[in-house]
Amino acid sequence: MTNLLIESIGYIAILTGFFAITKKDMGKFRLWHLISSFFYIIYGAMLNSMPLVIAGIVFCIIHVYHLIKMYDSNKGPKLKT
């Protein structure tokens, strides 16, 4: 892989993480942070960095769990636009 592609994935991960923290709604925050964590997994895999991959997987599991819990408790998604 080219360094430009690898670095681009890293920057996308950072930007989506920054975008996530601008969200006031917890559902939107979790969704955007889930996307960020997914990019961190890809970035970590490209760098052969297991700490990044493991952290990304753990964050994904946590966010998916809470999103499902929010969805079930509200009998439908409460992601306001």
Side-chain angles (χ1 to χ4, degrees):
M1 297 273 164
T2 66
N3 283 342
L4 180 61
L5 176 63
I6 295 170
E7 287 184 16
S8 297
I9 297 294
Y11 284 120
I12 291 169
I14 291 169
L15 291 174
T16 54
F18 285 156
F19 185 70
I21 63 172
T22 66
K23 301 298 161 200
K24 292 181 182 179
D25 179 63
M26 187 55 73
K28 284 184 180 180
F29 165 77
R30 290 200 180 279
L31 180 63
W32 279 102
H33 199 263
L34 176 64
I35 294 167
S36 174
S37 298
F38 179 73
F39 280 111
Y40 274 113
I41 292 169
I42 295 169
Y43 181 60
M46 289 176 156
L47 292 177
N48 294 320
S49 174
M50 285 310 292
L52 275 177
V53 172
I54 291 169
I57 290 170
V58 170
F59 279 124
C60 283
I61 291 168
I62 291 169
H63 289 308
V64 167
Y65 169 79
H66 284 289
L67 284 168
I68 290 170
K69 193 173 164 183
M70 286 173 61
Y71 181 85
D72 287 343
S73 69
N74 295 321
K75 302 293 184 213
K78 282 272 187 163
L79 302 175
K80 300 175 187 171
T81 55

